[in-house]
Amino acid sequence: MDNEYILEMKGITKQFSNVEVLHQVDFKIKKGEVHALMGENGAGKSTLIKILTGVYTKDAGQVFFNGEEIHPSSTLEAQQLGISPIYQEISLIPQLSVAENIFISREIKKKGFIDWKEIYKKAEEILKDLGINIDVRKPLRSYGTAIQQMVAIARSIMINSKMVIMDEATSSLDDDEVQILFNIIRKLKSQGISILFISHRLPEIFEISDSITILKDGSLVGEYPTSSLSRTELVSKMIGRNAEDVVNYKRTNRQIKDEYYLRAKSIKSGVKLRGINLDIRKGEVVGLAGLLGAGRTELARVLFGIDHKDSGSIEINGKEISFKLPREAIKYGIAFCSEDRKVEGIIPNMTVAENLCITNMKKVSYFGVINKRKCSSIAEEFVKKLRIKTPSIAQNIKNLSGGNQQKVILARWLSMEPDFIILDEPTRGIDVGAKKEIEDLIRQMSSQGISILLISSEFEELVRNCDRIVVLRDGMNAGILDGNDISEDKIMNLIANGNMAVGGN
Amino acid sequence: MDQIKKLQAGELFRKYGALIVLIIMLLINAVITPNFVHINTMWNVLIQAFCVLVISMGMTFVIATGGIDISVGSTMAISSIIFAKLLIEMECSFFVSILAALLAACIFGAFNGVLIGVFNFQPIVATLILMISGRGIAQQFNNGAVISFYGNKYSDIGTYRIGGLVPIQVIIVILIIAIALFLAKNTTFGLYVQSIGDNSTASKLVGIRTTAIIVMTYILCAFLAGFAASLETLRICSADPNNIGNNMELDCIAAVAIGGTPMSGGKTIIWGTVVGALVMQLITTMMNMNNIFYAYALVIKSAIIIIALYLQKEKTQ
Ligand SMILES: Nc1ncnc2c1ncn2[C@@H]1O[C@H](COP(=O)(O)OP(=O)(O)OP(=O)(O)O)[C@@H](O)[C@H]1O
Ligand SMILES: [Mg+2]
């Protein structure tokens, strides 16, 4: 039977410990289309996908793939049917070589032995097809996130998939890499493969998708051709109210007093930082722009005492300092919200309250004894303030949706009431509505005199929020934008060409 | 409806698997073991479980950081012989003797902790060093000879019964369990231990002194080993560096595992460990009181451990 749809999910319902997270959801994808699944944090997108890929079992409903009803009970089974998920967090094995990762569990054999020559050759071919030329013998971890993602895709193509699922696959990619990924998506599409695409970045949705399905609080809102929706209409449907204020939201120039909080001069560290200058005034929001590998995160890590500088100086409030450990920086009133939520952020099996209060133990404990009531009340306050969606503050953080985990981590650092906060991709994986709220919060904090260093791959976000933007390239200053000079085009220009003017002010 | 019920039963087993096994063990013993249902048998079970109970409290914290300590048996040997040597042969005061025994244990614990926390040795390898050398060190203190002190003025302390009824070990063990529970649930130390075991990178970034906490857990574990050893020495009125605490590390680790604390770290389930230790002891008691051949006893022991672990394994959703 030939069918227009590759996938039809009907009446899908799912509960976790008596909380319904999906309610009678219908969801269909045509053959060879790019279909976006949209919704706020915790709307149930990842859950729907995990049901489709056999990670969770549904409580009710039916799933038809290629016209036949399926009941996958593991990712492997789903893969054998032709459904390949590329997860939010990459699930490959970093120590193994690129080729091994592509061929793991389906090695090519010759006379019972693994035929490495053939494997390397095939792996190279597949990647070349996707427009990537890398050494497939090197361990996967020697490449960046983007390449790792491409490898995950290569693997799924290898196993003959009919549908590729990308759950926030672009969240850790920069603009150029997103374009590489989109080219691959278009190639897959032309081969008749369907793509289920999830992202909180609206421009991506409008660029790549053919149709959009919207979920809200676990229920279906509707399915629309992408061309029929405007940005505002899409967001309004997602958040269930008029979203004019969320979408059309502009920067305002502010006057910042010339009182420096931090002055870093010619910071050098390893090969990544090759003499960077950075000044931040009290109550100022400074943006760090640049491509992946430009040295943004590396600079943040040096400022926070995770990594150490080889030379250069850091002055805080006019006093030269050098932190050997994060705890020293924290004592100094510095907070660092890292970009890698899974590895450096969440403590998965601890509760929301514990995750939130853990940097703050001095405040909520007395001679090492925790005042649980105080901890709970701080947690409750921030859950409300950031609208974190969780059944209770006693829920383990790993059971929250990706975006809500991110909010808890953000709350962790905010609750510390820092003088200076480094936000490395703070809105990664956060929905548009929440993004607006977090950006409001950034503004509010800075007006209270807190200095902020904002690292973001989204130029829009930098333009909206920063008083000054420092552009980095190859571990050096490429230029500084100020006041009315701040625009997406100018950032892009500096990243591409630079004006090698030595920054600082 | 049926499905929901099944789910809840699964949840129940996962949470209380060890407790269910303990209750079943008690029931089986009540039926098959002669004289089992008698208060003195109960006291005996507790007295014999004393060392495992005490030391596995420390082991729970160590395992929760993602570590392991296989040197507790050797630490017991060292503390035991130091204690007896000072108390009996050198006629030091009781206070000085026990203090020296505990101090020695703490030093060895710190040695483990520093190797693991500061020099990043694999915990099992680091504590293997002391496991192997510890007994040798213990023997040096008295040239390998056993120190016995029956009929001495100290020989009644270990068998003292409060009000002529409750063995002193029972009171002490209850106190130690209470302290361990408090540490795990209500202190920053307990929280940090779990945090380190759950995600050590993130723990460093939120400002936890991970090295210090790790060192502290190994000191705590060794301290409890030294303490248990001293009391055990008093009870049996002899310090035998070759035999005291033999296989103690295995019993303690098994107790923690049966209790549901994951070996990968991140959780301290104190109650579980208590139940686990009692299960281990009940198995031994059952074997002894029914004259079951030792080799069979070991097989049955393993089977019960497997059942307890199986009941608690995480179900997929
Ligand atoms: N294993 C689990 N146990 C309990 N609750 C869960 C579990 N997994 C997900 N949930 C809940 O289900 C809801 C939907 O989560 P899901 O991850 O599907 O959201 P999402 O739409 O992918 O959000 P995001 O955009 O933040 O990734 C959330 O409220 C979450 O707390
Ligand atoms: Mg998600």
Side-chain angles (χ1 to χ4, degrees), chain B residues 26 40 48 53 61 92 99 109 127 140 176 190 298 303:
Chain B
L26 283 170
N40 270 333
Q48 276 160 9
L53 271 170
F61 286 96
C92 297
L99 209 66
T127 54
Q140 294 311 308
I176 288 179
L298 292 182

Side-chain angles (χ1 to χ4, degrees), chain A residues 14-17 19-22 37-50 56 88 167-168 198-200 215 217-218 341 389-391 395-406 429-431, chain B residues 317:
Chain A
K14 174 73 185 168
Q15 288 193 342
F16 287 113
S17 34
V19 182
E20 200 170 63
V21 299
L22 287 176
L37 185 58
M38 299 291 291
E40 291 176 291
N41 294 130
K45 304 179 295 291
S46 298
T47 306
L48 189 67
I49 281 164
K50 284 180 183 161
Y56 295 151
Q88 214 157 341
D167 190 353
E168 299 192 34
I198 297 180
S199 166
H200 287 294
L215 292 182
D217 295 330
R341 176 170 67 227
K389 196 174 164 191
T390 172
Q395 174 78 298
N396 282 352
I397 194 171
K398 68 171 179 198
N399 290 337
L400 266 57
S401 80
N404 284 300
Q405 291 179 7
Q406 178 70 16
I430 281 188
D431 69 49
Chain B
Q317 284 175 313

Side-chain angles (χ1 to χ4, degrees), chain B residues 12 18 31 46 49 61 70 72 77 79 112 132 137 149 159 222 225 236 238 243-244 247 249 251 269 301:
Chain B
L12 210 69
V31 176
L46 286 175
F61 286 96
I70 57 170
V72 287
S79 288
N112 284 337
I132 295 170
I137 295 170
F149 50 100
T159 48
I236 57 179
S238 103
N243 286 315
I244 190 169
N247 289 336
E249 57 285 338
D251 284 351
I269 307 179
K301 213 171 191 175

Side-chain angles (χ1 to χ4, degrees), chain A residues 16 56-57 304 306 326-327 330 342-350 354 359 361 368-370 372 412-413, chain B residues 182 185-189 191-192 194-195 198-199 201-209 266-267 314 317:
Chain A
F16 287 113
Y56 295 151
T57 48
F304 193 62
I306 305 169
R327 52 176 291 105
I330 291 170
K342 194 176 175 192
V343 175
E344 301 184 336
I346 63 165
I347 299 163
N349 292 297
M350 298 206 330
E354 287 166 340
T359 33
M361 276 302 151
V369 178
I370 302 170
K372 289 194 174 173
R412 169 193 288 171
W413 294 109
Chain B
F182 182 77
K185 296 254 179 229
N186 292 293
T187 65
T188 49
F189 173 74
L191 190 73
Y192 292 162
Q194 298 191 45
S195 163
D198 209 11
N199 185 343
T201 314
S203 298
K204 265 185 217 122
L205 291 195
V206 298
I208 296 172
R209 294 172 196 265
K267 280 261 171 286
E314 288 257 1
Q317 284 175 313

Side-chain angles (χ1 to χ4, degrees), chain A residues 303 309 313-316 319-323 332 334:
Chain A
L303 294 179
K309 59 183 184 335
S313 71
I314 301 172
E315 263 179 30
I316 289 181
K319 216 173 98 193
E320 174 141 6
I321 54 100
S322 166
F323 301 124
Y332 230 84
I334 301 177

Side-chain angles (χ1 to χ4, degrees), chain B residues 50-91:
Chain B
F50 177 76
C51 287
V52 177
L53 271 170
V54 170
I55 300 169
S56 61
M57 291 296 107
M59 190 68 81
T60 310
F61 286 96
V62 166
I63 287 177
T65 63
I68 200 156
D69 185 350
I70 57 170
S71 70
V72 287
S74 298
T75 308
M76 283 180 78
I78 292 171
S79 288
S80 167
I81 196 74
I82 288 180
F83 178 60
K85 181 100 184 166
L86 289 179
L87 188 69
I88 306 302
E89 304 219 321
M90 298 171 72
E91 300 188 353

